[in-house]
Amino acid sequence: MQIYNSMTRKKEVFKPIHEGKVGIYACGPTVYNFFHIGNARPFIVFDVLRRYFEYKGYEVTFVQNFTDIDDKMIRRANEEGTTVADIAERYIKEYFVDAKALGVRPATVHPRATEHMAQIIAMIQKLMDNGLAYESRGDVYYRVKAFPSYGCLCGQNLEDLESGARVSVDELKEDPLDFALWKAQKPGEPAWESPWGMGRPGWHIECSAMSTTYLGDTFDIHCGGKDLLFPHHENEIAQTSGATGKPYVNYWMHNGFLNIDNEKMSKSKGNFFTVRDIAKEYDLEAVRMFTLSAHYRSPLNFSREMIAQAQSSLERLYIARDQLNFLLNAASDRQPNEAEQAFMAACVASKEKFEAAMDDDLNTADAISAIFELVREIHRLDATNVSREAVTAGKEAFLGMADVLGLLMKKEDGLDPEVQALVDERAQARKNKDWKRSDELRDQIKAMGYILEDTAAGQKVRKGV
Ligand code: AMP
Ligand code: ZN
């Protein structure tokens, strides 16, 4: 598999540190509010990354943190007259509600910053011991110039960064490039004990401390939105390698932005839709389909038409699944004929195309096209005379691919017994050429929200949308 590594700015063949295993760390949400559909993009694409590694037989450890202490959390708690812990608890719960509806599986571990103070403090201490950090009136700062490879991820050297930096008049820092590892407590803020007095961690250090806690000092893949490249991930490298003396991450993956009118969707600009908002209008699985319709590194423009389009593509996948079940019901145990052998070859070809697309830096757009090629073939099978072996091969290939993308998450629950009884009665009426009764039953079935089609192989019934 090839992965575009943001560090080297090229596609590289993925080689795991431990044979058959992959460790992935994804920067998760700050839990002060519902998340928006821009935030949903990394959650969805890196969930697919994880699923694809599993499909390929890897054992995956997928870690995604919750930032449960920072300025935004404190502001929100003050606005609502409650505690930061209360806000975190509430929005972590809500995260799981939305994630589930988007088909994003829970990570192997969801570490929270406030539950890893010991590891955070130990790492800061190590940086001080290594001469890379200094205390200043209860704050602790990272001494950027003491880490010569600073800028390796964003592709800038210290001089570039220095000339680009605004000269801040901060007498607490030795240098404007230095960043906070620990912040001394301000009145009314939650705080933890540390060797430098009461305070709380800076944002970047939590990801260094938690990723290495669960994945080791050096691990395979670190991902997040591309806005995190600098300074967040750059600082993570400086902190972690500065503390451990080892390389931090082998592959860096960054998703492109979800835009509205070609501008990044973000809470601060106010141009966002929460996943909750969208759920009022659309099936959230359509948001997943929409997100995966583009390559994860490309920008993706949000519009209602695009979501509606994704919804109808998704609908075509559900229809194909229903068709496969319909075919299976009608199938016989005979050997596949020539046309069906060609169909089975098409199943293999579409799976190969799917895997080639996914192996090429997770090209979900092409992977979806491969699935639709198979959908066209499925509809060519003759329901009046079909071999079970061929349909089964089709179903396996089709569902296997959909599952990697986390699509078709609605269960195949068959027809309600009540509807099934009407369908059976109608089959009998048709046999008896009682067309009047047959039409009455059809109207009744439709009125219950089902779509009914009479085909040469019998009645085809599915839930309408
Ligand atoms: P935040 O809660 O803002 O730290 O964001 C959580 C994740 O969403 C991070 O990986 C961000 O890079 C990512 N993200 C935020 N806004 C967007 C956007 N408009 N498009 C894609 N990813 C985003
Ligand atoms: Zn992070």
Side-chain angles (χ1 to χ4, degrees):
M1 178 179 187
Q2 297 233 334
I3 286 180
Y4 180 89
N5 187 350
S6 312
M7 176 71 91
T8 57
R9 282 170 281 281
K10 58 176 194 267
K11 284 185 198 168
E12 293 173 8
V13 174
F14 175 72
K15 288 198 202 79
I17 295 171
H18 303 289
E19 187 72 28
K21 294 188 176 170
V22 194
I24 306 175
Y25 186 88
C27 289
T30 306
V31 282
Y32 70 107
N33 211 330
F34 293 104
F35 65 87
H36 62 65
I37 55 170
N39 300 133
R41 190 171 188 194
F43 305 153
I44 293 167
V45 299
F46 299 124
D47 175 71
V48 169
L49 176 72
R50 171 199 194 175
R51 287 169 186 260
Y52 188 55
F53 275 120
E54 287 176 352
Y55 169 85
K56 287 173 92 74
Y58 285 91
E59 187 188 311
V60 184
T61 307
F62 188 84
V63 183
Q64 184 181 291
N65 69 305
F66 286 122
T67 297
D68 61 350
I69 174 72
D70 84 335
D71 292 342
K72 288 176 284 200
M73 297 286 304
I74 294 171
R75 207 177 312 128
R76 182 81 197 222
N78 288 342
E79 276 164 18
E80 293 200 15
T82 183
T83 61
V84 167
D86 178 51
I87 296 287
E89 214 47 54
R90 186 188 321 159
Y91 288 108
I92 286 173
K93 258 200 206 118
E94 302 293 6
Y95 166 86
F96 285 115
V97 172
D98 288 339
K100 187 169 182 209
L102 289 165
V104 173
R105 287 163 48 197
T108 319
V109 201
H110 280 285
R112 307 179 189 188
T114 59
E115 291 173 358
H116 293 78
M117 285 301 161
Q119 292 89 333
I120 289 171
I121 289 168
M123 190 174 259
I124 299 174
Q125 188 59 57
K126 191 88 205 342
L127 289 168
M128 290 190 104
D129 297 345
N130 292 352
L132 288 165
Y134 56 94
E135 198 231 304
S136 179
R137 269 191 262 154
D139 288 352
V140 180
Y141 294 96
Y142 191 96
R143 188 176 277 128
V144 168
K145 283 190 180 148
F147 188 74
S149 58
Y150 192 82
C152 57
L153 181 64
C154 65
Q156 296 201 286
N157 59 32
L158 279 170
E159 280 148 36
D160 300 334
L161 288 166
E162 213 172 6
S163 63
R166 258 176 271 142
V167 186
S168 60
V169 260
D170 190 343
E171 77 238 17
L172 291 174
K173 292 193 205 174
E174 288 177 3
D175 188 279
L177 287 180
D178 295 351
F179 60 89
L181 297 166
W182 189 262
K183 298 177 175 180
Q185 181 178 25
K186 294 201 188 92
E189 285 187 359
W192 288 260
E193 261 177 51
S194 82
W196 320 285
M198 296 298 285
R200 62 183 166 99
W203 168 36
H204 316 295
I205 193 72
E206 70 173 83
C207 287
S208 289
M210 295 193 286
S211 60
T212 51
T213 296
Y214 294 96
L215 298 168
D217 289 348
T218 306
F219 59 90
D220 298 299
I221 302 176
H222 193 314
C223 36
K226 73 173 191 182
D227 51 337
L228 301 185
L229 256 163
F230 189 85
H232 186 52
H233 290 161
E234 193 69 59
N235 290 353
E236 275 190 48
I237 296 171
Q239 292 165 157
T240 320
S241 291
T244 65
K246 299 178 201 160
Y248 178 34
V249 163
N250 288 346
Y251 304 86
W252 287 92
M253 294 177 79
H254 292 94
N255 65 273
F257 294 140
L258 177 73
N259 295 331
I260 285 197
D261 300 328
N262 299 313
E263 240 196 293
K264 180 191 171 202
M265 180 178 286
S266 78
K267 278 189 188 138
S268 56
K269 284 194 210 117
N271 61 347
F272 67 92
F273 293 99
T274 65
V275 167
R276 262 331 134 87
D277 292 333
I278 295 294
K280 287 182 202 139
E281 287 179 62
Y282 300 96
D283 185 343
L284 288 182
E285 200 177 351
V287 172
R288 188 177 180 99
M289 183 75 167
F290 160 70
T291 303
L292 298 176
S293 67
H295 189 274
Y296 75 92
R297 282 191 289 120
S298 312
L300 178 60
N301 226 8
F302 168 83
S303 70
R304 288 190 149 66
E305 296 80 72
M306 291 286 281
I307 305 275
Q309 210 175 310
Q311 175 117 26
S312 68
S313 299
L314 190 60
E315 184 55 21
R316 280 166 60 207
L317 295 186
Y318 275 107
I319 290 171
R321 188 176 76 176
D322 286 345
Q323 177 67 9
L324 283 164
N325 289 335
F326 180 66
L327 289 165
L328 265 186
N329 261 335
S332 67
D333 286 327
R334 66 161 171 74
Q335 292 293 310
N337 60 26
E338 214 171 292
E340 287 163 347
Q341 278 169 15
F343 170 77
M344 286 163 82
C347 291
V348 175
S350 114
K351 244 175 101 164
E352 281 171 2
K353 198 170 166 198
F354 177 88
E355 287 174 12
M358 295 295 279
D359 279 342
D360 182 13
D361 191 31
L362 216 66
N363 191 337
T364 52
D366 284 0
I368 290 173
S369 311
I371 299 181
F372 278 104
E373 276 175 24
L374 182 58
V375 166
R376 280 190 289 279
E377 298 299 327
I378 290 167
H379 288 296
R380 285 205 187 111
L381 288 174
D382 176 4
T384 60
N385 175 16
V386 71
S387 112
R388 189 177 320 280
E389 197 181 324
V391 183
T392 306
K395 192 166 175 181
E396 246 174 53
F398 177 69
L399 293 186
M401 292 187 281
D403 193 50
V404 171
L405 300 182
L407 296 171
L408 297 182
M409 54 174 126
K410 283 191 211 83
K411 283 207 213 67
E412 305 180 60
D413 31 29
L415 296 180
D416 292 338
E418 208 185 333
V419 179
Q420 188 63 55
L422 295 175
V423 172
D424 294 344
E425 192 189 335
R426 185 164 178 269
Q428 194 54 49
R430 288 171 68 77
K431 232 187 206 165
N432 301 343
K433 301 202 182 329
D434 182 353
W435 307 120
K436 186 165 166 277
R437 181 68 189 140
S438 161
D439 287 353
E440 276 168 18
L441 286 162
R442 186 196 56 210
D443 293 345
Q444 220 173 319
I445 293 165
K446 283 191 173 171
M448 291 168 87
Y450 287 79
I451 293 164
L452 189 148
E453 234 181 286
D454 287 312
T455 76
Q459 302 175 82
K460 201 151 110 189
V461 188
R462 63 186 170 87
K463 267 202 186 110
V465 192

